[in-house]
Amino acid sequence: MTAEDAAVGTVAERTARPDFMSMTPEELEAFVVSLGEKPYRAGQLFSWMAKGAPLDEMTNLSAPFRKKLAEYGEYRLPVIEKKLVSRIDGTVKYLFSLADGECVESVFMRYEHGTSLCVSSQAGCAMGCKFCASTLNGRVRNLTASEILGQAAAAARDTGERVDGIVLMGIGEPLDNYDNVIRFLRLVSDSRGMGIGLRHISLSTCGLAPRIRDLAGEGLPVTLSVSLHAPDDETRSALMPVNRRYNVAELLSACRFYFEKTGRRVSFEYTLIAGRNDSREDAGRLAAVLKDGMRCPCHVNLILLNEVAETGLSTPDRRRAEEFRRELEKRGINATIRRRLGSDINASCGQLRLQKLAEKDAGGVSERPVC
């Protein structure tokens, strides 16, 4: 048995009782009725969970009912292990601990048009992208739908602000945890709960082409955001091992299918790495491959690399990024340079978890067994 199998087994044992925060309202109603309660109690419970309330605060539910929920069900919200607040723009970065001691990160961002939360979908990541902190220690396990939803509920409760949008761009590859992510999307968008519109949700993937096609058929009009990061197979395979399985042509074909099926414009994330993918020639090749492979509207988000010491990769200067953007637009590709929020707190996901793992390996003071 591998370490991952053992971790998954532990979680399965812990959640042998029904995980009722992962239930749809209809499933929750059946569960509530099985406990001898009236069906309408399910709606009350669903609403409370969307607010991140512990059982003892659900005051319109009777004490005996809450006791039954605790005894026969599983309901554990993420706990704030660490919280960093940017003095520059108010961005909040959370390190959440889960019930088994695993840690994930979320980032709460404020914009003029509202708020957005970047959530994690896995504890660790198996994709192996060379520039990413989240993947340095591999994947431990998938998160349940309730653990993903719990991040949003906990952040809203802590900030006292509504979460207007969701970005599935934290730790993990969302489409590698497909079933739980799809369930999360249905739960977080349900008007009886958090009610976050699906068009205000962005799902980022490193390029699992078959799953992109599956997602297109789910009837969930989320924005698909694809981590491309290179204009050709040789460069992309060196940076992103997933490209050896699903190359650029196959990935763009799946993205085109997603647009044709949903009518939703696809965004491409392109992290600029000094000396690897940031030249004017790279921009020209990127424009050409997108025009040929997509043949439909798309957008490129240019991202200045958030440096991680362990990768040995460096960030180009802003002028280089502006030149890259201008080259794309000259060739007819709409592109922007992403504004970096929370720069004083390293708001990119993966680094707080990495620090906790290092503390554990060094015999640090943390009492939690896995973080």
Side-chain angles (χ1 to χ4, degrees):
M1 179 183 291
T2 66
E4 182 179 344
D5 290 337
V8 171
T10 300
V11 174
E13 291 167 10
R14 177 177 61 80
T15 56
R17 296 179 300 170
D19 173 14
F20 54 83
M21 195 176 183
S22 286
M23 293 180 182
T24 65
E26 293 72 26
E27 292 167 341
L28 194 60
E29 182 176 305
F31 174 63
V32 163
V33 169
S34 75
L35 297 179
E37 299 291 330
K38 298 293 185 182
Y40 74 89
R41 294 295 187 193
Q44 294 173 321
L45 179 57
F46 192 75
S47 177
W48 277 117
M49 290 190 294
K51 298 172 184 175
L55 286 174
D56 59 9
E57 289 186 15
M58 300 180 184
T59 51
N60 60 348
L61 303 181
S62 69
F65 179 32
R66 282 179 275 154
K67 184 177 179 181
K68 283 190 284 187
L69 287 171
E71 182 177 356
Y72 296 108
E74 183 72 28
Y75 176 57
R76 300 192 185 185
L77 293 165
V79 175
I80 299 173
E81 182 83 11
K82 190 170 187 178
K83 173 183 174 182
L84 302 176
V85 182
S86 171
R87 295 182 179 181
I88 298 173
D89 51 41
T91 296
V92 184
K93 184 172 184 178
Y94 294 102
L95 180 69
F96 287 120
S97 61
L98 306 176
D100 64 347
E102 272 300 327
C103 287
V104 295
E105 296 176 31
S106 300
V107 181
F108 183 85
M109 299 161 285
R110 296 179 175 91
Y111 300 93
E112 290 184 3
H113 60 270
T115 64
S116 184
L117 184 73
C118 179
V119 299
S120 297
S121 56
Q122 295 177 311
C125 182
M127 296 297 107
C129 299
K130 302 304 181 185
F131 47 84
C132 181
S134 298
T135 196
L136 288 175
N137 287 280
R139 180 188 61 197
V140 178
R141 67 173 177 87
N142 289 330
L143 301 192
T144 63
S146 64
E147 287 173 328
I148 307 172
L149 184 65
Q151 296 168 61
R157 180 179 173 88
D158 179 66
T159 61
E161 299 178 51
R162 173 181 163 79
V163 175
D164 298 310
I166 293 285
V167 185
L168 280 152
M169 200 181 288
I171 295 172
E173 162 56 57
L175 296 185
D176 191 37
N177 184 17
Y178 188 84
D179 292 341
N180 284 315
V181 165
I182 294 300
R183 178 169 283 266
F184 159 73
L185 291 172
R186 299 192 190 283
L187 290 172
V188 79
S189 61
D190 195 299
S191 61
R192 294 163 288 185
M194 297 194 77
I196 298 175
L198 288 164
R199 293 179 182 274
H200 298 287
I201 298 176
S202 178
L203 185 150
S204 178
T205 176
C206 69
L208 303 185
R211 284 305 197 185
I212 291 174
R213 292 176 179 274
D214 292 340
L215 181 64
E218 293 285 355
L220 299 169
V222 299
T223 297
L224 181 65
S225 183
V226 176
S227 296
L228 191 57
H229 305 313
D232 59 84
D233 284 327
E234 182 180 0
T235 306
R236 193 167 190 266
S237 292
L239 292 172
M240 305 178 69
V242 69
N243 195 74
R244 297 166 195 157
R245 176 172 290 186
Y246 309 113
N247 65 19
V248 172
E250 187 173 357
L251 173 57
L252 294 184
S253 174
C255 291
R256 189 170 66 249
F257 178 83
Y258 187 85
F259 172 79
E260 292 168 351
K261 189 80 171 177
T262 67
R264 300 286 287 161
R265 185 183 72 170
V266 176
S267 289
F268 291 96
E269 309 291 330
Y270 193 100
T271 296
L272 292 163
I273 305 170
R276 298 293 295 271
N277 65 356
D278 65 334
S279 70
R280 183 173 294 177
E281 292 73 22
D282 289 324
R285 287 197 295 272
L286 177 61
V289 78
L290 288 178
K291 281 189 170 183
D292 180 62
M294 290 299 292
R295 302 191 292 278
C296 60
C298 64
H299 179 84
V300 176
N301 280 317
L302 297 172
I303 306 164
L304 288 166
L305 175 72
N306 187 63
E307 293 184 3
V308 178
E310 291 84 350
T311 68
L313 301 174
S314 58
T315 308
D317 61 32
R318 179 81 184 193
R319 184 177 62 181
R320 186 84 161 177
E322 291 288 357
E323 290 174 354
F324 199 99
R325 180 188 62 79
R326 286 195 295 270
E327 190 68 22
L328 286 177
E329 293 195 334
K330 185 173 74 175
R331 296 169 182 268
I333 300 296
N334 189 5
T336 54
I337 299 174
R338 178 177 294 164
R339 183 163 66 97
R340 189 173 173 187
L341 298 178
S343 58
D344 57 328
I345 58 171
N346 279 332
S348 295
C349 276
Q351 299 193 56
L352 284 183
R353 185 173 190 273
L354 197 62
Q355 291 169 12
K356 292 295 291 186
L357 287 167
E359 286 176 14
K360 176 179 179 289
D361 290 342
V365 297
S366 175
E367 295 178 357
R368 298 190 181 275
V370 186
C371 293

